[in-house]
């Protein structure tokens, strides 16, 4: 729909054409190598052309100036032999033979008086006048003119006024005479053409050399870009080099292209991280849904009927898990602090709920589940943590579920606070009295999918998920041998997460579930 008073722009019309810059759009479509080469060659061409023309003009002017000086000297010598008698007739004094004596030798002169009397050199013989072209040669002084000799040879002529002496009164000037001296110009013109050919050849060689150097510069300068293109193509190929290509991107390529290469390497790393995180979310969701299903299965196995309230509670929990993982995937929860705007969570209340669920899930093992809350000395309020309750439940559930699978008789959960007054951290410590881990197993524990005993049910993702959530809240997961349960060698897992509020001081209280 067209609104009156508002101009409409054709989407198909190029933007550059609308602004009158269609040529800029055309140039922008050229390959980068072509644009760089033209950027180097066009100024060089203009410089070489202008410099060649200036040098040609200077050399031509020098040759023609020297030729003019020769003609002026010849004119002075001829004017010294001219005389005007008493009747006003112009005569030439007798003298030795010179270049103006040989007939059609190429050197001529012609003198004309104000009354029209004409006197010419012997070399002209019967030629009364020589045709002279009005325009002078290029870069020649103003007095020089082109002319054609009796044998159609090229000549250069110089006309200037002279004052011959009067006969019978030596030293007295006679009437003014216009004297024109002609000289052969074939050799001079040949020298000028040779200069033109030399300058043209030198310019072409210089342009070819410049073009070759520009091509070499483009080839060498764009080599890193071609390598980046090849590496990216190999990365996109179905059977390419994979992660090794991203490692090759760290190779130095020079100060100019290094920022671009660093950005590409960062982009590839970010994309790989996003893809890996999306896959991890799908696996984590699968792992998280197994807990409510396992709990329902355990209750269904223990009794003929399962309470509808319990079924509804677990179904709601699974629905919340699906919504939570979908929101985490869309909002990129691992790159933004999830607890920045979360509500305060009662840590003890959340831990008690998870402990009751774990007690029902591992009821067949008859384990002793206990909660210890080590509060700070100041204040009496319970530990409260600013974050997503579902995140805390998942951390507790994964650590307690893992401890329940391996514990022999006892699992202990300890809640405490750490850090200074300005930056409190929540510490969740889960210990069991199971077989524990060797130092080698402690090094590799927590990696996604790593399992040390295939006979125990699990997927090897619980510790990895807990570590991932802790990192999202600026914390970490640490594994060690259990030190709190005396005489036992079980496993201790401690998670620290930022965002703790109002650390309580309720003393060390042992709450048995």
């Amino acid at each position: 729909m067209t609104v009156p008073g508002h101009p409409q722009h054709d989407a198909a019309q190029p933007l550059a054409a609308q602004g009158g810059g269609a040529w800029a759009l055309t140039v922008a479509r050229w390959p980068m190598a072509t644009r760089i080469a033209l950027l180097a060659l066009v100024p060089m061409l203009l410089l070489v052309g202008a410099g060649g023309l200036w040098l040609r003009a200077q050399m031509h002017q020098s040759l023609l100036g020297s030729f003019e000086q020769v003609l002026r000297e010849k004119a002075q010598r001829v004017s010294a032999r001219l005389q005007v008698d008493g009747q006003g007739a112009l005569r030439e004094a007798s003298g030795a033979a010179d270049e103006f004596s040989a007939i059609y030798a190429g050197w001529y002169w012609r003198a004309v008086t104000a009354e029209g009397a004409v006197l010419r050199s012997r070399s002209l013989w019967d030629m009364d006048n020589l045709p002279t072209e009005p325009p002078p040669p290029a870069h020649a002084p103003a007095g020089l003119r082109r002319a054609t000799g009796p044998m159609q040879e090229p000549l250069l002529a110089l006309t200037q006024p002279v004052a011959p002496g009067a006969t019978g009164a030596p030293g007295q000037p006679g009437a003014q005479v216009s004297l024109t001296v002609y000289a052969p110009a074939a050799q001079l013109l040949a020298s000028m053409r040779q200069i033109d050919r030399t300058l043209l050849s030198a310019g072409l060689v210089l342009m070819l050399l410049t073009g070759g150097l520009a091509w070499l510069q483009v080839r060498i300068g764009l080599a890193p870009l071609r390598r980046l293109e090849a590496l990216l193509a190999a990365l996109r190929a179905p059977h390419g080099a994979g992660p090794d290509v991203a490692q090759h991107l760290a190779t130095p390529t020079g100060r100019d292209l290094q920022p671009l290469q660093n950005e590409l390497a960062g982009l590839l790393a970010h994309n790989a991280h996003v893809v890996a995180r999306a896959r991890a979310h799908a696996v984590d969701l699968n792992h998280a849904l197994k807990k409510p299903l396992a709990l329902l299965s355990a209750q269904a196995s223990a009794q003929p009927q399962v309470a509808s309230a319990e079924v509804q509670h677990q179904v709601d929990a699974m629905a919340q898990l699906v919504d939570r993982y979908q929101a985490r995937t869309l909002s990129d929860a691992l790159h933004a602090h999830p607890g920045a705007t979360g509500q305060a969570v009662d840590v003890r209340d959340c831990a008690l709920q998870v402990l009751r669920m774990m007690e029902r899930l591992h009821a067949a093992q008859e384990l002793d589940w206990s909660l210890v809350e080590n509060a700070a000395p100041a204040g009496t309020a319970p530990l409260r943590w600013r974050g997503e309750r579902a995140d805390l439940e998942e951390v507790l559930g994964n650590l307690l579920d893992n401890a329940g699978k391996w514990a022999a008789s006892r699992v202990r959960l300890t809640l405490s606070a750490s850090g200074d007054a300005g930056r409190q951290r929540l510490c969740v410590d889960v210990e069991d009295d199971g077989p524990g881990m060797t130092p080698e197993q402690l090094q590799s524990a927590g990696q996604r999918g790593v399992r040390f005993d295939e006979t125990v049910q699990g997927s090897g993702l619980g510790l990895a998920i807990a570590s991932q959530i802790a990192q999202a809240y600026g914390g970490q997961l640490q594994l060690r041998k259990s030190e709190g349960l005396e005489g036992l060698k079980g496993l201790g897992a401690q998670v620290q997460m930022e965002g703790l509020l109002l650390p309580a001081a309720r003393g060390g209280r042992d709450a048995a579930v």
Side-chain angles (χ1 to χ4, degrees):
M1 180 179 66
T2 303
V3 180
H6 291 271
Q8 302 295 320
H9 296 280
D10 188 1
Q13 185 178 6
L15 181 61
Q18 295 177 3
W23 64 271
L25 181 60
T26 303
V27 172
R29 292 174 179 172
W30 292 355
M32 183 181 294
T34 302
R35 285 179 285 169
I36 294 177
L38 289 179
L39 189 62
L41 291 178
V42 170
M44 180 59 67
L45 178 61
L46 295 177
L47 182 62
V48 170
L53 292 176
W54 177 84
L55 184 60
R56 175 180 180 271
Q58 294 297 317
M59 297 182 72
H60 284 194
Q61 186 175 5
S62 177
L63 290 177
L64 292 173
S66 299
F67 198 86
E68 180 195 22
Q69 183 63 29
V70 172
L71 287 180
R72 291 190 181 278
E73 293 176 356
K74 300 291 184 182
Q76 291 179 1
R77 193 175 65 181
V78 171
S79 65
R81 299 203 305 260
L82 296 180
Q83 296 178 353
V84 179
D85 58 14
Q87 289 76 27
L90 185 64
R91 299 179 181 276
E92 179 185 7
S94 60
D98 55 9
E99 61 269 23
F100 297 103
S101 302
I103 299 176
Y104 301 155
W107 291 89
Y108 315 103
W109 58 265
R110 183 173 182 271
V112 181
T113 63
E115 292 77 11
V118 177
L119 181 65
R120 57 181 181 270
S121 64
R122 178 177 175 80
S123 56
L124 278 177
W125 193 241
D126 56 354
M127 291 287 297
D128 182 58
N129 195 6
L130 296 177
T132 303
E133 301 177 8
H139 314 297
L144 288 180
R145 295 290 184 272
R146 293 182 183 272
T148 304
M151 308 299 295
Q152 303 301 314
E153 71 274 20
L155 303 175
L156 283 178
L158 176 65
T159 301
Q160 65 179 15
V162 296
T167 304
Q172 296 297 325
Q176 290 290 329
V177 175
S178 176
L179 176 63
T180 303
V181 180
Y182 303 87
Q187 185 176 0
L188 176 65
L189 297 179
S191 299
M192 295 173 63
R193 288 192 297 268
Q194 181 62 35
I195 290 175
D196 294 344
R197 287 192 296 267
T198 302
L199 291 176
L200 180 60
S201 301
L204 292 177
V205 171
L206 183 58
M207 288 304 302
L208 290 176
L209 181 61
T210 304
L213 293 177
W215 177 84
L216 183 62
Q217 181 182 4
V218 169
R219 292 287 299 178
I220 296 177
L222 297 183
L225 290 179
R226 288 193 296 271
R227 187 173 74 251
L228 288 179
E229 180 184 3
L231 291 175
L232 293 176
L235 181 64
R236 189 179 58 180
H239 304 288
D244 293 338
V245 177
Q247 296 178 3
H248 292 324
L249 287 176
T251 304
T253 56
R255 182 180 301 176
D256 296 330
L257 293 180
Q258 193 64 42
L260 173 61
Q261 186 167 349
N262 294 338
E263 290 297 329
L264 286 176
L267 179 61
L268 288 176
H270 174 74
N271 290 341
H273 185 65
V274 169
V275 173
R277 187 170 63 252
R279 293 176 178 174
H281 284 332
V283 177
D284 294 346
L285 178 60
N286 180 36
H287 179 267
L289 291 176
K290 287 181 179 179
K291 292 181 182 178
L293 293 175
L295 184 59
L296 290 176
S297 177
Q299 292 184 357
S301 300
Q303 50 188 348
Q305 295 182 349
V306 181
S308 60
E310 182 65 25
V311 174
Q312 185 63 40
H313 176 70
Q314 299 301 330
V315 170
D316 292 342
M318 287 187 286
Q320 292 177 1
L321 285 173
V322 173
D323 294 340
R324 174 172 171 268
Y325 274 95
Q326 183 180 10
R328 174 177 287 184
T329 302
L330 295 177
S331 62
D332 199 4
L334 295 180
H335 285 266
H337 197 299
T341 58
Q343 298 180 354
V345 179
D346 190 331
V347 179
R348 185 175 186 275
D349 179 68
C350 180
L352 287 174
Q353 292 186 11
V354 177
L355 279 173
R356 294 191 190 100
M357 184 179 67
M358 290 296 109
E359 184 181 18
R360 293 193 300 268
L361 182 61
H362 298 277
Q365 297 174 252
E366 299 181 354
L367 300 175
D368 179 16
W369 301 84
S370 61
L371 171 63
V372 177
E373 187 177 2
N374 293 330
T380 59
L383 291 174
R384 300 182 68 83
W385 177 71
R386 187 178 63 183
E388 296 292 338
R389 184 184 182 93
D391 286 336
L392 182 58
E393 289 177 349
E394 189 166 358
V395 170
L396 293 171
N398 284 316
L399 296 182
L400 291 172
D401 184 37
N402 185 74
K405 292 176 182 178
W406 295 97
S409 61
R410 187 178 177 185
V411 176
R412 185 170 69 180
L413 170 61
T414 303
L415 304 176
S416 61
S418 66
D420 51 22
R423 190 174 184 180
Q424 292 288 329
R425 284 192 173 193
L426 172 64
C427 293
V428 177
D429 201 343
V430 178
E431 297 174 287
D432 64 74
D433 59 353
M437 293 183 181
T438 65
E440 293 77 12
Q441 290 175 337
L442 288 175
Q443 291 292 333
S444 57
Q447 299 179 7
R448 301 186 66 86
V450 175
R451 299 177 59 190
F452 302 111
D453 191 347
E454 297 295 336
T455 62
V456 179
Q457 184 180 5
S459 58
L461 296 176
L463 294 179
I465 295 174
S467 176
Q468 196 175 30
I469 296 176
Q471 292 176 5
Y473 285 94
Q476 59 181 347
L477 169 66
Q478 294 180 343
L479 301 177
R480 69 184 190 284
K481 289 186 178 182
S482 177
E483 300 174 355
L485 302 181
E486 297 180 359
L488 300 176
K489 59 176 182 178
L491 178 67
Q494 185 185 75
V495 169
Q496 295 184 2
M497 296 185 294
E498 295 183 358
L500 186 64
L501 301 176
L502 300 176
R506 308 178 59 177
R509 184 180 61 185
D510 194 348
V513 180

